[in-house]
């Protein structure tokens, strides 16, 4: 037959269970000495998490509103602090530059260096070319330059300067003045033997070191003669090779 528990037995069983639960909690508390302390905020949160508190969505909305309000308060305090700082006066040109070129306020040192060294010169050159073209368009006068004026305006080459008769005359006069000064300052007068005079007569066409124009012409003549002899020898060898 099934057992039937009387009300007194059920009450006694519940009381024993309650005593065992209290005993177990006491043993756990004795074995675990950690006893956290809750502050007021934690207590309010714990109370609010129960059924009698606000819902989770309402608490999140309130927290978000409070955060926005705190952010506005911090921004307002920062603005008030910046307003109390020293603010230098800026000229109208500087203010216009900052307004027209706001990108330059955030450029790095490297970007500023590249802009000043390369970008700005190119822009200035484009502006200069455009201004020059506009000026030439406003003034249609175009003078004509004859051949003599063109030759005068063109810089002369080294060969032209060396072949210039006026330059040669000036160099010759300077060399002659130098020679006279050398002869006047030279007191030593050696006597030449007959053999030395004969040798000097054979080399009368030698140049004085100061006569650079004549020396250059002679060097060029010798180079042309050497090239002609080389070409003649090469032609001779080619003829011999063809004949053989």
């Amino acid at each position: 037959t099934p057992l039937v528990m009387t009300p007194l037995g059920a009450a006694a069983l519940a009381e024993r269970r309650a005593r065992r639960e209290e005993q177990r909690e006491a043993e756990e508390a004795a074995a675990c000495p950690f006893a956290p302390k809750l502050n007021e905020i934690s207590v309010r949160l714990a109370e609010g998490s129960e059924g009698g508190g606000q819902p989770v969505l309402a608490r999140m909305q309130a927290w978000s509103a409070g955060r926005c309000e705190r952010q506005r308060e911090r921004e307002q305090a920062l603005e008030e602090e910046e307003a109390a700082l020293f603010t230098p006066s800026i000229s109208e040109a500087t203010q216009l530059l900052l307004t027209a070129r706001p990108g330059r306020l955030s450029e790095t040192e490297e970007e500023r260096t590249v802009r000043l060294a390369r970008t700005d010169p190119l822009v200035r050159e484009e502006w200069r070319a455009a201004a020059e073209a506009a000026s030439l368009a406003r003034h249609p006068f175009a003078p004509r330059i004859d051949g003599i004026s063109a030759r005068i305006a063109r810089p002369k080459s080294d060969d032209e300067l060396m072949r210039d008769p006026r330059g040669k005359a000036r160099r010759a006069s300077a060399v002659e003045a130098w020679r006279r000064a050398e002869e006047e300052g030279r007191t030593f007068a050696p006597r030449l033997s007959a053999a030395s005079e004969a040798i000097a007569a054979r080399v009368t066409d030698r140049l004085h070191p100061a006569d650079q124009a004549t020396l250059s012409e002679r060097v060029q003549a010798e180079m042309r003669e050497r090239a002609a002899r080389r070409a003649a020898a090469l032609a001779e060898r080619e003829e011999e090779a063809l004949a053989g």
Side-chain angles (χ1 to χ4, degrees), residues 87-241:
T87 304
S89 59
I90 301 176
S91 63
E92 295 181 0
T94 305
Q95 186 66 32
L96 179 62
L97 178 63
L98 296 178
T99 305
R101 307 285 179 84
R104 293 187 179 182
L105 297 176
S106 59
E107 65 180 1
T108 61
E109 188 68 24
E110 183 178 359
E111 292 174 348
R112 185 180 299 107
T113 302
V114 172
R115 176 175 60 81
L116 294 176
R118 179 166 180 80
T119 307
D120 287 357
L122 293 177
V123 173
R124 286 196 298 270
E125 183 62 25
E126 291 178 358
W127 289 350
R128 188 198 63 76
E132 183 178 355
S135 178
L136 293 176
R138 290 195 302 269
H139 302 86
F141 174 70
R144 295 182 179 179
I145 301 175
D146 57 4
I148 297 176
S149 300
R151 287 195 299 272
I152 293 174
R154 182 179 59 82
K156 294 183 178 180
S157 62
D158 295 339
D159 293 338
E160 291 175 345
L161 292 175
M162 295 295 293
R163 291 194 299 267
D164 186 9
R166 290 177 296 179
K168 287 183 178 181
R170 286 194 295 269
R171 285 192 297 272
S173 62
V175 170
E176 185 63 27
W178 176 80
R179 286 177 179 175
R180 285 197 300 268
E182 284 287 325
E183 290 175 357
E184 291 175 359
R186 189 183 303 123
T187 58
F188 176 69
R191 293 181 180 179
L192 299 179
S193 62
S196 299
E197 290 180 356
I199 293 173
R202 288 197 299 269
V203 295
T204 51
D205 59 336
R206 290 198 176 179
L207 301 175
H208 196 277
D211 197 351
Q212 298 296 330
T214 310
L215 180 61
S216 176
E217 292 176 357
R218 179 170 179 178
V219 168
Q220 292 178 1
E222 290 180 355
M223 291 177 62
R224 288 193 295 270
E225 291 176 0
R226 191 180 300 111
R229 289 195 298 271
R230 190 182 301 110
L234 182 60
E236 257 180 50
R237 286 198 295 270
E238 289 179 353
E239 290 178 359
E240 292 177 358

